[in-house]
Amino acid sequence: MLFRSHYYVYAGTYTVTLTALSVDGCVSTSTKDVVVSGIPVADFVSSPACIHAPYQFSDNSTVSNGSITRWNWTVDTLYSDTVQNPLYTFDTTGTYSVNLVVYSDIGCVDSVRKNVTVHPLPVPNFSYTPQYGNPPLDVTFTNLTDLLGQCQYAWSFGDNTSGSTLQAPHHLYLDTGRYVIQLIATSDFGCVDSISKGIYVIKPVLDAAVTSVTASYTNNQLSIQAGIANLGTVDIDSVIMQAKLQDGTVIQEVYNQLLPNGSNGIQSYDFVA
């Protein structure tokens, strides 16, 4: 039995003819088709990954004829899989070496190695002022996200408005209620995280109270001091102060200073009569 070898440069179907000639001059031929399959070209998409987020490996391998039937993925020494498009979650940032080996339906093999870089998630955060108030309430937001200049933002203000994509927006609340504000930060590498906080928009309530009274009598002069507080939800710009003495005398004065709501609305007043 004789053997001959031949190297085919291109994939395709080739007709091979064998002619046999005996010493007596007899001739016989045999013809068969030989199918030459192409070597597969291993490839995959090496897009950036995000820590703690499922990462989809995307096979992009091709073969000129036939089909790819097997895949063998390895991520450094951390992970291996044999599905076409595996899913993996990276627990630390850094650059990882990923190797893909593919096999065609007749056993032809190719491989490719690429690096995948894993990026941190942004840490979104924000503050806002005022913390509460009555409508219409114009709220200013300060963006405190750690990757501030490297992210895109999506704000939701909780009141069925269209939200905002500005880095540090304003928003006007027109009705009372408790609203949940959400900030979604997406880094330039597609890494996403969010944070939510609440704000109270409360009804306007006008309520001033006397919290303390002290009096002293020195050198035939009566001194009265009163502690007053704004217990409502709106600023007060004037308060009528009255003091009734034991003999029935009423002292009435007007306190014409701003008495804001909140912690700054606790003040002291001295009668001057």
Side-chain angles (χ1 to χ4, degrees):
M1 183 176 292
L2 298 176
F3 296 93
R4 293 289 184 270
S5 62
H6 179 74
Y7 290 98
Y8 289 92
V9 178
Y10 303 104
T13 301
Y14 298 88
T15 301
V16 179
T17 300
L18 172 62
T19 302
L21 177 64
S22 72
V23 294
D24 298 324
C26 298
V27 178
S28 179
T29 62
S30 177
T31 300
K32 291 185 178 181
D33 288 337
V34 175
V35 178
V36 179
S37 295
I39 301 295
V41 179
D43 191 23
F44 63 92
V45 178
S46 56
S47 56
C50 302
I51 190 173
H52 304 318
Y55 180 77
Q56 181 76 67
F57 289 98
S58 181
D59 172 48
N60 199 31
S61 304
T62 58
V63 64
S64 58
N65 62 329
S67 60
I68 296 174
T69 57
R70 290 171 54 199
W71 299 264
N72 190 353
W73 297 84
T74 55
V75 180
D76 282 340
T77 59
L78 302 176
Y79 171 75
S80 63
D81 210 328
T82 57
V83 299
Q84 182 177 5
N85 298 300
L87 201 65
Y88 180 68
T89 300
F90 293 92
D91 293 327
T92 56
T93 59
T95 299
Y96 296 84
S97 177
V98 180
N99 190 67
L100 170 62
V101 182
V102 295
Y103 302 82
S104 73
D105 53 348
I106 66 167
C108 299
V109 183
D110 191 32
S111 66
V112 64
R113 183 179 296 274
K114 295 183 180 182
N115 289 333
V116 172
T117 301
V118 181
H119 299 273
L121 298 181
V123 182
N125 195 13
F126 63 91
S127 63
Y128 55 90
T129 186
Q131 297 286 316
Y132 59 90
N134 53 280
L137 185 65
D138 189 8
V139 180
T140 300
F141 294 92
T142 301
N143 196 326
L144 304 175
T145 302
D146 62 340
L147 303 176
L148 188 60
Q150 306 171 42
C151 292
Q152 293 78 48
Y153 301 99
W155 295 83
S156 173
F157 301 113
D159 58 352
N160 296 320
T161 57
S162 57
S164 175
T165 58
L166 297 177
Q167 181 173 293
H170 288 253
H171 186 68
L172 186 65
Y173 287 95
L174 299 176
D175 201 359
T176 59
R178 182 182 186 275
Y179 300 98
V180 176
I181 307 156
Q182 184 185 55
L183 170 61
I184 301 173
T186 304
S187 75
D188 292 341
F189 300 104
C191 303
V192 182
D193 205 354
S194 65
I195 188 173
S196 297
K197 297 183 180 182
I199 185 171
Y200 285 97
V201 182
I202 49 184
K203 293 181 179 179
V205 175
L206 189 63
D207 184 8
V210 175
T211 59
S212 63
V213 176
T214 58
S216 62
Y217 188 78
T218 305
N219 297 326
N220 294 321
Q221 183 175 352
L222 177 64
S223 298
I224 303 175
Q225 185 178 73
I228 54 177
N230 183 352
L231 303 180
T233 62
V234 295
D235 294 342
I236 297 174
D237 55 15
S238 66
V239 179
I240 296 175
M241 303 294 296
Q242 283 187 348
K244 187 175 182 180
L245 306 182
Q246 287 183 342
D247 62 1
T249 302
V250 175
I251 302 173
Q252 178 172 299
E253 299 177 358
V254 179
Y255 181 57
N256 286 315
Q257 293 191 33
L258 179 65
L259 196 64
N261 67 321
S263 59
N264 292 328
I266 302 174
Q267 299 180 14
S268 178
Y269 177 77
D270 293 320
F271 283 86
V272 296

